[in-house]
Structures are given as structure tokens and as C-alpha cells.
Amino acid sequence: MDLVAGAVGSIIRKLGELLQAEYKLQAGLLEQIESLKNELESAHAALRTVSEVPPEQLDPQVRLWAREVREASYDMEDILDTFLVDGAPADGLGKGRRLLKKMEKLFRKSKERHAIAGAIQKMKGRLQEVADRRDRYAVPVAAPAPVRTLDPRLVYMHREAAQLVGIDKTKAELMAMLLPLSSSRCPEDDVDVSASDGDKMKIVSVVGAGGLGKTTLAKAVYDELKPRYDHGAFVSVGRKPDLVQVFTSIFFHLDEQKYNAIREVKDLQLLAGELRRFLQDKRYLIVIDDVWDTKSWDTIKLAFDQKNKQSRVITTTRNRQVASSEEVYELHPLSHDSSKKLFYMRLFWGEDKCPANHPEEASQRILDKCGGVPLAIITMASLLVGKSREYWLEVCNSPGFYRGKDTNEQVDDTVWILSLSYYDLPSYLKTCLLYLSVYPEDYEIEKHRLIWKWVAEGFIEKNAGSSSLFEQGEEYFHELINRSMIEAMEFDEGFGIIIGCRVHDMVLDLIRDISNKENFVTVSYDDGRRGTTSSSSRNVVRRLAHQNRRMTEDNPVEGSMTHLRSLVACGCDMDGWVMHSSSTLLLRVLALEQCCTPPSMDIGHLGKLLHLRYLGLRGTLVDKLPDEIGSLKLLQALDLLGTGISRLPRTVCLLTQLKYLYGDACTIVPNGFLGKVTSLEELHIHPPSEGDEYNQQQFMQDLGTHQGEIRVLDLMRFRDEFDDLSMESGLVQALGSLHKLQTLLVSSDYTKQQVAQYSWDTAALPRCLRILVFVDLRFHHVPSSINPASLPNLSRLELSVGHLDEASLRALGGLPGLTYLTLTAADWLKSSCKASVVDVVVADGFFLKLRSLRLYGWMLQLVPSEDSTSVSFNIWKGDEDVVALGFCRTSVAAPMTSSIIMPDLIDLWFYVPVRALCKSRNGSICDSLGWECLPSLHKIDAVVDSKGAYIGDVKKVEAEMRQAAKLHPNQPIINILLLNQYI
């Protein structure tokens, strides 16, 4: 009942395209198409009404009718696509005059006219049969609750609330179990974590029902304790785990660069043995999250040396048997007070009581229903945001509203709340959410790839206010986060830059169950015992997901594949697998993600998938793309990251509908590509190198002239093989034409430390720019083009500079939307740094929204004035040349109030040159750090450079920084990393 947008709505749009065609149809065919379209529009409206009613409130005949209408619509669309697939226009369907001319040519042929006339008649008869059946068993449809507008929220607010409410006590208790009594006092104590009360490694299992926050607790403890250990890893297992992938993930967390090639190893015993050897005699903290069965845990545990008393392991599980041989920390529901605090924080931005216009009694009943389960509380609060008091009372009086008394009933209550929230979603959101069932449990779902799949499936309907289908899909994505149906995955946790999502396993269970009943997605997997199973036993498979299995011809999925629209394989072994083009002619989405492929796998048949809109090979090694890919005239998204493909065939220039291209770090496009494929919105590519057929100057000229739709531009390994100005100057000039650009990423070859030679001060950076990142491209100073007036929307900035002066620091501090800033000291400019001390009063505030500040090679000091009326903001470098000059620094003074300097800063990373610091200060440095001026500070990373310093000075600086962190009201976590050798 919930899949209208991808079925009935899509066929209506295509019938509308037929009606707009200016050619002679067979007698009576125009009227038949019009009649069919009108009938479907009526059914469409009825289906929208049905989709907003929970299934238990619907008569079985209504559910049957809705399913038949939807299935008939899918079949109708397949018929139309089959007719239109041959000779589709270069621009794809829906491109005005070219489409009409294509259809006109098609309908001039007598045979095709008769065939499509018969098909339309068949469609109409199929729909009439469904309508007649419903009329014979007419049942009134219950009226749904009125649709209400969402109250906009920060996408990360509910995640923060879940971490802040009720976690301090449980975190302290779990840490006390992990650490000996002598070391559990505070993080800054210099203690030996190997001291233990027992004779073997400490393993603690966090046990509790679903939705209690086991993962959140384990992550909070991991983040706080990780600085004490040399190595750390946090990995999820899940119900049907691929243990090879689990071990591979542990290796990547421990040392990704060293173990990059280990992804090709599929021998479980070999991986376990290698991991055991690596961990031997090392101090590590590892979290094994979401373990469901004892067999998986016993296999994983073999890699840990039980005699390694200096290391710690945390597991989380719902299954007490998993924890039977370990120490157990039982996680209980939140107290009533903590539940209420969390509930109101999500609803009313931190208010501690229910507003007068909402019934207090309903609030109490709803909290009782939630049973202290954080997932239930957050989901229910997200459901009620912005709703009237009448709706609150309606929820309390709805069927199934009861109070759970034990763990099982609490889980049932949480499932009921999740279901209630699901059926409150608009139909288009339901469709997008159900699509997430194609991914395995605990999968990290990248936002952009997901949205382009939605677009390819036809789930996104463009609104007047959206400039593109992707941006409309991004609104859908954020709505699902605000509704707490998916969990935001951030670029760097806590800073609001959303790069993807995860699905809680209870939500995944819900959408898989619904998807199965609606025949929306078929999931196949290998469980190692029963072979391949399928979540759907129906004859027609429309969307197929392979998860962590070996795909061969001898274990096919049950059901007909001739109507397959989407095939997504995650973490599968493709050896022996063959895609039969005859059964996948209507395929729109093909995604092979992190799959293992044989060197000889032939993908030349891709050219026959003429309806393909999305082709993803992320993390799947492929030698090259076939020339036949040029036949995919409707292709919108092509993802090749991690494939190893170095050059694209010339035929990609025929993909004129392509909007998203993500190449590998070495992928180069053919000559003239940017001049011919002009619909790109996202481009991640290696620019041409010197000597390539695509002239560098022409590449940049094409970028500026023909790519006005680009929103994301990622130039990888920029200027890695030459030193002239052509590419850099060409890019600066091209930026003036990219008016829709929101993200610019420019990365050079880190081994050559390229210097920016062209003046970026003149760059006309687009006002809509949100993310600006330069990696290993070094500037003498902050370009004057980076300023508050020019970039009012900039939220993330990463820059390498050799000099910071008053103007540049004021410009950075005044950027109104900046939340994430990384500044790297350009060491190649040591000798050009000049002494500078400047005092500037900043009346309007300084870095007011900044949440993360990372200063690589720069020292930061906040020095309050003697009368505490202002604070001096100092950033300086402490190398030998600067010491001789008496420090090169910039100081900005501002009134000392909680709202002036970095009031939202959570994370601080900075450099400490001990020798220079001790020369500048005769006494304690504790009073010169100024962390008390940062009210939101929760995490500190200090890179202590001990080069040329005495060991006593190094230890003194360390101790005083730990003491300063301890004295801060938030007692932030502090991680100290030593560089070089002291005297």
C-alpha cells in the first residue's frame, strides 16, 4: 500500500508523455490512453489514502485491491519500457522534442502501432478487472490522520540527546569494570592499565534488549578510553555475519595502510591467525558490537590472547548465552526522569516540561508506553514533533496502546512505536525507506549513492522549490533522519556534516517484513547452514539484494527475473556468477559493492541493459569498462571508486544523461568528455596529466563553459605531474561559471607537497559553496576570496597556509556558517614568516558556529585579560626560525562572554612546540591555554613536539595540560601524541 511513487505514479507520468506526442495514433488509441491515465489517477489518489492507514485497520479486501493495482502498474510500465527501449533518444526519455520525434518515428510503423494498441488495451483490461473485483467487495477505507508539516530540526540533534541523557552513570559503571580500581579515577592519571585483578584479559559484555542503547554506550566508553591504548577497533557483527568481513574490518581499524591488500583474503582461519599474531604483546581496546550467536563470538574470540592482561575487549549483545563466559554489564531502561528529559529535549529543544497546550496526562502515558527504551522515546518524540494535542490523544487511544511489563513486552512496545512512526510517513518517504532493506545489517549506507539509486528507481518527484532531483532526494533523506527512522552517519562525529546513514536492526526488521509482504525487495543470503534463502516466495522478483554470499549459477533465487528493476550485491563473491541479459532487460539499478570478482569476469553484456540508470562498482575490482557502455543512453550515475579503472572508453561521451560520475583516484576521462556530457551534477575525477590526449587547458575550459549544473567537484591528484600554471589558473577561471557549486575538493599528490602558484585572491567562489577542501595544495596565506561576504554558507574548510595575519584570521572567524575548520601549517614557508602581534576587538563574535577546530602545526592559546573583560585569541608556529623572531602569531581580542569566541566548539586539535613554549613562558602554561573560555569543549587532541626539549619540560607540559582538562567544567577527553625525541 505504500509504494505509490515507484509504481502508479511512474506509469501515469509515462502515459502523460504519450499523450503529449504530436503524431497520428491508431484510431481510438488516444482516447484509450486518456481513459487509462484517468483511471490510474483515481486509483493513485485512493492508494495514497490507503497507504496512510496502518494495515491492521484495513479490510483484507482493500489490502488485496491495493496490491493488485500496484502490481498491475509495474507490469504496465514494463510493457511501455519494452516498446520504448529500442532506439531511445540520446538524451533519454522526457527530453521534449527529441522524445516526441522518437515516438513519432515509432508509431509510423504499422506493426508497432498495432502492438502498442494491443498493449494499451491489455493494460486497460487488467486494470478494469482489478477495479471490478474491488467493486464486488466494496469496503469503506478508514480515514487517515491529516498530514502535518515537519518541524525542521538539526539532523544530528536526536543523536546528541541520546548520548547526553542518562549515559554518565552507565559509562562510569562500565569503565569501572574494564579498569582496575587504581586506574578508574580519571583519564589523566598516569597509570598502568595492565594492572588487573585476574590472570587473563578483561572482556566485558554489555547485555540488554533491543533499543536500549548498547552501541551508544560502548561507543562512548571506547571514545574515552581509546587514548590509553596503542591500537583500537570498533566493528559490528550482526545476525548473519560475514566473519571474513568482520576480521577484515578489524585489520582496517588497526592499520588500514598496512593491511589494504587483506581485502582479497577470504580464508577465515588465515585471517584469525594473522590477527592473533598482530595483537600479540600489543595494548589494544576492541569493541565487537551486536553479537547474536555464541558460534560467531567463539570464532572471533580465538584471535584474542587471553593472557594479554594489558588489553580490553567490549562486546554488545541481546543474547545472554553469548556473554555467559564473560563479565556482564546489564543495561537497564532509562529512569522516568531521564526518559522525560530525553523526550522533551527532542520535542521542545531542551524544555524540561510539557507546554501548556499539550496534555500532561498524555505525555505520561506515552512515556510509560516507551518503557525507558531510548530508541522508542526518540522515535515517539520525532513522531509527535509539531503535532496537535488532539493527535497526542489519538495516539494514546489508538489500537495496540498498552504498557509492557517485562523485557519481551518492552520490545513489542518499541516495535509498535516504530510501526506507528512508519505509517505516519508520507508515501514517498515510505518507498525510500523500504528500499534500505537491500542493504545488510549494520551496513554504512553512503548518502549520495543511496539518493542516486532512489532517483534511478523513479522514487523522487521534483518539487517546485528544488533545483534537482538529487536535492529533492536529499530532503527526503533528512526527513527520515528527523523522523528517527534512520541514524545519521557523519563525516566526523558531532559536527553535522552528514555523509550517510545506518539502519537500527529493529527498524530493519520492520521494513524487511513490510517489504516482504509487499513484494518490494527480495533478499538472498548464504547462512552457511541452509544455503540460499529468499525473503519472498512470489513468482515475480522486482528488486533483488544479494548480501554476503557466494553468487553462482547453482544457487539461483526463486522467482521470475524478467521484471527485475534493481540488483544490489554487497560483500559477495562473484566467482562463477553470470548475469543473463535476457532476464534483466528492464534493470534500472545495478550495484556491486565491495564484491570479489574473478580477473576474467566479462561485463561486456552491460551494453544490453538499455534501461540502466545507475551502475555502481564501488570497491569491486574491474579491469576496464567495455566500449558497449556507450549504449546506456539513460545512465544517470556511474560509480567506479575502488575499481582500479584508469581510463574510461571514448564511448562514455555518449552518456549525455550522466549526472554523477565517481572515478577512482587514477581514472581519467577521454578527450572532449566535459564538452559532450553536459548534465553532470557531481564529478569526482583525476584531471588529465601532462601529455594526456585531453589537453589540460581544454579540460578546464570545458569545465567552465559546459558544466553549469555541477554541485560537487572533486579533482583528485590535482597537479601531480607538472609545475606550470595551466591547471591552477584554468580552475580559478572556471569557478566563476560554476554558479551551482556547493562542494569543491582539490587534492594534490601528497608526496610532492605542491605549492599554489596562481593567485586565488581573485577567484570568484560561488556564494552557495558549503564545503571547500584543499589537500596538499599549500598557500602562502588565506586567499582573500575566502571571506564572510563571499561565502555565507561555507560550513567546512580545510586549508594549508604558511602565514596567518589579522585580516585572514578575522575573515575566517567571521564566516557565519563555519562548523568545521582545519588549518595546516605549510612548513615550506618557515623562513618567510614574520613576527606579528595584533589586537582586534571583534564586537560581532568570533567562530560562533565552529564545532571542530584542527590546527596541524599551529599552537593555540586563549589568554583572558587581567580584568576578565576580554580574551586574546593567539595562533602561532613554534619552529626554530620563529623562536628567533619572538613568535609569529596573530592575536584577536574580544569581550569575554560565553557567546563571543567559539561557544559551540566541541573538538580541538592543536600542536604544542615544547621548546618554543617553555622559552616564552617561565612559569605554568596552564593559565595560558584558556580552555575555560570554551564552554562546549569535550575532546582535546594535542600533538606534543618534543624536538630539542628537555624531558622534564615535556612531562611538565603534559601534566599541566591534563590538569587544565581536569579543571574544565566538562572534563574533556584529552589525547596526547608525542612527536620526535626529547633531550
Side-chain angles (χ1 to χ4, degrees):
M1 280 73 72
D2 315 308
L3 315 178
V4 178
V8 182
S10 182
I11 186 66
I12 290 174
R13 288 193 296 273
K14 291 192 175 182
L15 288 173
E17 291 172 350
L18 281 176
L19 290 173
Q20 293 175 8
E22 298 174 356
Y23 45 70
K24 294 181 179 180
L25 298 174
Q26 188 170 338
L29 184 56
L30 183 65
E31 291 77 10
Q32 291 186 41
I33 295 176
E34 181 73 44
S35 175
L36 178 60
K37 180 173 178 287
N38 293 339
E39 184 69 23
L40 280 170
E41 286 176 342
S42 299
H44 192 211
L47 276 172
R48 285 192 179 276
T49 301
V50 170
S51 71
E52 295 166 359
V53 180
E56 64 270 14
Q57 299 179 29
L58 287 174
D59 184 273
Q61 290 295 335
V62 175
R63 293 202 299 270
L64 179 60
W65 166 78
R67 183 177 296 118
E68 287 182 339
V69 170
R70 187 175 56 252
E71 292 298 315
S73 300
Y74 277 133
D75 291 342
M76 293 177 199
E77 188 176 17
D78 290 347
I79 291 172
L80 278 183
D81 285 346
T82 301
F83 275 107
L84 298 176
V85 68
D86 296 325
D91 302 52
L93 299 177
K95 280 295 180 180
R97 299 292 300 179
R98 280 177 288 253
L99 172 61
L100 300 182
K101 289 181 179 179
K102 154 68 178 101
M103 288 185 171
E104 182 178 358
K105 182 178 179 181
L106 175 65
F107 280 90
R108 282 176 183 160
K109 301 177 181 179
S110 176
K111 181 179 179 181
E112 281 77 3
R113 288 203 308 270
H114 283 286
I116 199 166
I120 293 293
Q121 188 63 40
K122 184 177 179 181
M123 294 179 199
K124 188 175 179 182
R126 170 85 178 273
L127 191 60
Q128 185 63 49
E129 179 184 348
V130 173
D132 291 344
R133 185 179 296 116
R134 194 212 164 192
D135 289 342
R136 288 196 296 270
Y137 304 99
V139 178
V141 177
V147 178
R148 293 166 174 86
T149 303
L150 280 174
D151 183 18
R153 299 279 171 162
L154 295 175
V155 293
Y156 49 83
M157 176 187 170
H158 63 279
R159 181 195 59 79
E160 290 187 342
Q163 289 188 351
L164 295 174
V165 175
I167 201 173
D168 290 339
K169 180 174 180 293
T170 55
K171 185 173 71 172
E173 292 172 345
L174 180 55
M175 289 175 58
M177 294 180 66
L178 289 163
L179 301 177
L181 293 177
S182 60
S183 67
S184 60
R185 296 191 302 271
C186 56
E188 59 272 13
D189 290 333
D190 187 11
V191 297
D192 181 7
V193 297
S194 66
S196 177
D197 299 330
D199 59 355
K200 64 178 184 179
M201 181 175 63
K202 178 85 67 162
I203 301 177
V204 177
S205 290
V206 180
V207 180
L212 285 181
K214 299 183 295 295
T215 301
T216 300
L217 173 61
K219 186 64 166 62
V221 171
Y222 175 81
D223 288 342
E224 182 147 347
L225 295 185
K226 173 60 179 66
R228 299 180 179 219
Y229 298 88
D230 299 327
H231 301 277
F234 192 110
V235 297
S236 294
V237 179
R239 265 169 295 196
K240 301 184 183 300
D242 177 358
L243 293 183
V244 169
Q245 183 60 42
V246 170
F247 279 111
T248 302
S249 297
I250 295 175
F251 277 118
F252 284 170
H253 279 84
L254 295 173
D255 193 334
E256 181 174 2
Q257 185 172 1
K258 179 178 179 180
Y259 287 103
N260 185 50
I262 210 165
R263 68 170 67 247
E264 302 303 319
V265 179
K266 301 300 180 182
D267 189 312
L268 185 59
Q269 291 185 340
L270 182 63
L271 288 169
E274 177 62 25
L275 182 59
R276 187 179 179 87
R277 283 189 291 273
F278 178 85
L279 294 176
Q280 190 173 12
D281 300 327
K282 290 185 172 64
R283 297 171 65 253
Y284 57 83
L285 173 64
I286 294 179
V287 177
I288 308 297
D289 183 45
D290 198 25
V291 184
W292 282 75
D293 63 273
T294 55
K295 182 179 179 181
S296 297
W297 171 232
D298 289 342
T299 302
I300 297 170
K301 193 164 61 172
L302 288 175
F304 305 135
D305 183 359
Q306 298 298 306
K307 295 181 181 180
N308 188 341
K309 297 190 294 182
Q310 61 185 346
S311 299
R312 300 290 182 268
V313 173
I314 304 172
T315 68
T316 71
T317 182
R318 299 186 193 182
N319 187 348
R320 284 186 170 276
Q321 290 184 344
V322 171
S324 60
S325 60
E326 324 297 349
E327 290 192 51
V328 173
Y329 179 78
E330 186 169 357
L331 190 59
H332 297 285
L334 295 177
S335 67
H336 181 74
D337 288 343
S338 293
S339 297
K340 186 164 64 173
K341 182 178 180 182
L342 179 58
F343 185 63
Y344 290 143
M345 181 179 293
R346 175 66 184 101
L347 275 168
F348 309 121
W349 288 87
E351 294 291 335
D352 59 356
K353 62 182 180 180
C354 191
N357 63 332
H358 286 82
E360 181 70 23
E361 180 182 355
S363 297
Q364 296 303 321
R365 290 184 63 190
I366 289 171
L367 284 174
D368 288 343
K369 175 68 173 174
C370 293
V373 178
L375 177 63
I377 296 168
I378 287 288
T379 303
M380 182 62 86
S382 299
L383 171 67
L384 297 174
V385 166
K387 302 293 178 64
S388 66
R389 59 177 290 145
E390 290 76 21
Y391 186 82
W392 286 46
L393 294 172
E394 182 181 331
V395 168
C396 291
N397 295 324
S398 60
F401 194 94
Y402 62 91
R403 173 73 173 97
K405 297 181 177 63
D406 57 31
T407 300
N408 290 333
E409 288 182 343
Q410 286 174 358
V411 172
D412 290 341
D413 283 348
T414 303
V415 172
W416 181 85
I417 290 169
L418 292 174
S419 299
L420 186 67
S421 184
Y422 170 82
Y423 285 107
D424 185 70
L425 294 174
S427 297
Y428 55 85
L429 281 187
K430 292 189 180 96
T431 308
C432 293
L433 180 62
L434 289 184
Y435 193 80
L436 298 183
S437 58
V438 302
Y439 295 104
E441 190 174 346
D442 299 319
Y443 198 77
E444 294 184 351
I445 305 169
E446 198 270 330
K447 180 179 73 172
H448 285 226
R449 283 182 285 157
L450 172 63
I451 295 174
W452 283 117
K453 289 184 181 106
W454 287 347
V455 171
E457 282 272 11
F459 297 160
I460 311 299
E461 296 183 11
K462 185 176 176 181
N463 291 339
S466 299
S467 61
S468 70
L469 287 175
F470 177 88
E471 290 183 324
Q472 182 63 47
E474 195 170 30
E475 290 183 20
Y476 292 2
F477 184 86
H478 288 161
E479 279 190 71
L480 288 173
I481 292 176
N482 285 334
R483 295 288 194 118
S484 297
M485 300 307 293
I486 60 178
E487 302 171 0
M489 188 174 71
E490 299 176 66
F491 161 72
D492 204 341
E493 194 167 299
F495 312 116
I497 301 175
I498 307 301
I499 61 171
C501 70
R502 297 180 182 87
V503 183
H504 193 281
D505 53 14
M506 296 185 73
V507 177
L508 185 60
D509 287 343
L510 171 68
I511 63 176
R512 278 185 175 173
D513 181 61
I514 296 172
S515 180
N516 179 44
K517 292 176 181 176
E518 301 296 338
N519 194 28
F520 188 66
V521 172
T522 298
V523 180
S524 72
Y525 56 87
D526 273 341
D527 63 7
R529 293 165 292 179
R530 295 176 296 167
T532 303
T533 63
S534 171
S535 68
S536 174
S537 60
R538 296 184 179 89
N539 292 328
V540 177
V541 178
R542 299 197 185 276
R543 296 174 184 87
L544 177 61
H546 294 289
Q547 299 175 358
N548 301 322
R549 55 161 292 195
R550 189 169 185 268
M551 297 171 59
T552 61
E553 288 300 286
D554 57 356
N555 56 358
V557 175
E558 297 178 3
S560 170
M561 304 283 283
T562 57
H563 296 274
L564 192 65
R565 292 163 173 255
S566 184
L567 173 60
V568 179
C570 298
C572 293
D573 185 350
M574 313 293 291
D575 191 14
W577 175 75
V578 177
M579 174 182 285
H580 296 290
S581 57
S582 60
S583 62
T584 54
L585 288 177
L586 297 175
L587 200 66
R588 300 179 178 193
V589 174
L590 175 61
L592 310 180
E593 301 183 2
Q594 305 298 330
C595 292
C596 181
T597 58
S600 59
M601 190 175 84
D602 181 18
I603 58 174
H605 61 277
L606 291 177
K608 298 180 180 179
L609 306 179
L610 301 183
H611 282 284
L612 204 63
R613 270 83 164 170
Y614 180 100
L615 175 58
L617 302 173
R618 177 71 62 104
T620 301
L621 294 178
V622 177
D623 289 341
K624 63 179 182 178
L625 285 182
D627 291 338
E628 290 85 351
I629 195 173
S631 300
L632 307 182
K633 299 299 192 297
L634 305 182
L635 195 67
Q636 298 171 325
L638 179 59
D639 184 1
L640 304 175
L641 183 63
T643 60
I645 294 175
S646 59
R647 290 183 179 271
L648 299 182
R650 288 182 175 275
T651 53
V652 298
C653 294
L654 301 175
L655 306 179
T656 55
Q657 283 294 292
L658 198 64
K659 298 179 183 299
Y660 172 87
L661 174 58
Y662 207 130
D664 212 342
C666 59
T667 305
I668 298 176
V669 296
N671 185 31
F673 174 78
L674 295 184
K676 297 176 180 177
V677 182
T678 59
S679 56
L680 288 168
E681 295 182 21
E682 294 190 43
L683 177 62
H684 307 255
I685 204 71
H686 182 347
S689 301
E690 192 172 18
D692 281 344
E693 63 172 351
Y694 205 153
N695 179 272
Q696 296 165 357
Q697 186 175 0
Q698 186 62 46
F699 178 89
M700 286 301 172
Q701 183 176 334
D702 287 346
L703 178 67
T705 304
H706 302 290
Q707 298 298 327
E709 297 299 312
I710 283 214
R711 294 177 295 100
V712 178
L713 177 60
D714 179 7
L715 299 177
M716 296 177 277
R717 300 184 67 183
F718 182 74
R719 289 189 53 204
D720 63 341
E721 297 180 8
F722 52 93
D723 294 320
D724 60 63
L725 298 177
S726 60
M727 287 288 280
E728 197 172 332
S729 61
L731 176 59
V732 172
Q733 295 174 25
L735 290 175
S737 302
L738 306 182
H739 302 297
K740 295 184 179 182
L741 191 66
Q742 299 177 14
T743 298
L744 175 61
L745 307 172
V746 179
S747 56
S748 185
D749 185 348
Y750 72 94
T751 63
K752 299 183 179 181
Q753 300 181 352
Q754 295 286 353
V755 179
Q757 300 180 14
Y758 192 83
S759 176
W760 284 76
D761 294 328
T762 61
L765 299 176
R767 286 182 60 83
C768 58
L769 201 64
R770 299 177 184 175
I771 296 175
L772 180 58
V773 175
F774 294 96
V775 180
D776 293 309
L777 186 64
R778 304 179 176 233
F779 295 83
H780 177 269
H781 60 274
V782 177
S784 58
S785 55
I786 302 176
N787 62 76
S790 300
L791 301 175
N793 301 304
L794 194 66
S795 62
R796 173 185 165 196
L797 174 63
E798 297 185 32
L799 200 62
S800 176
V801 294
H803 183 66
L804 285 171
D805 56 15
E806 171 192 346
S808 60
L809 195 56
R810 289 190 65 183
L812 295 177
L815 290 169
L818 194 65
T819 60
Y820 188 101
L821 174 62
T822 296
L823 290 177
T824 302
D827 293 335
W828 52 271
L829 279 173
K830 286 181 182 179
S831 59
S832 66
C833 190
K834 298 180 180 179
S836 174
V837 179
V838 183
D839 292 322
V840 180
V841 176
V842 186
D844 296 328
F846 204 63
F847 291 114
L848 289 183
K849 292 187 178 180
L850 196 66
R851 298 169 66 82
S852 176
L853 176 60
R854 304 198 168 191
L855 302 170
Y856 299 108
W858 295 99
M859 174 70 184
L860 172 67
Q861 290 174 286
L862 303 175
V863 184
S865 63
E866 293 183 359
D867 59 0
S868 297
T869 59
S870 65
V871 58
S872 181
F873 185 99
N874 303 300
I875 294 181
W876 51 277
K877 289 167 35 173
D879 49 56
E880 292 292 334
D881 295 292
V882 173
V883 171
L885 290 169
F887 296 125
C888 170
R889 71 179 187 179
T890 297
S891 171
V892 177
M896 188 178 175
T897 67
S898 60
S899 62
I900 289 298
I901 288 187
M902 298 187 289
D904 293 335
L905 192 74
I906 295 174
D907 175 70
L908 174 62
W909 182 304
F910 68 105
Y911 167 79
V912 183
V914 176
R915 184 170 180 269
L917 185 64
C918 291
K919 280 192 174 184
S920 68
R921 292 278 177 177
N922 295 323
S924 171
I925 70 163
C926 193
D927 59 350
S928 66
L929 292 173
W931 294 343
E932 67 274 13
C933 302
L934 307 175
S936 301
L937 191 62
H938 277 83
K939 183 182 178 185
I940 301 167
D941 288 276
V943 179
V944 176
D945 188 350
S946 59
K947 182 179 180 180
Y950 293 100
I951 184 172
D953 290 339
V954 174
K955 289 188 174 293
K956 180 181 179 182
V957 168
E958 284 190 68
E960 292 190 359
M961 284 195 296
R962 294 191 185 278
Q963 180 66 14
K966 184 177 181 180
L967 294 175
H968 192 281
N970 299 333
Q971 294 192 342
I973 300 169
I974 182 168
N975 180 26
I976 296 178
L977 174 65
L978 284 176
L979 288 183
N980 300 313
Q981 295 293 321
Y982 38 69
I983 298 175

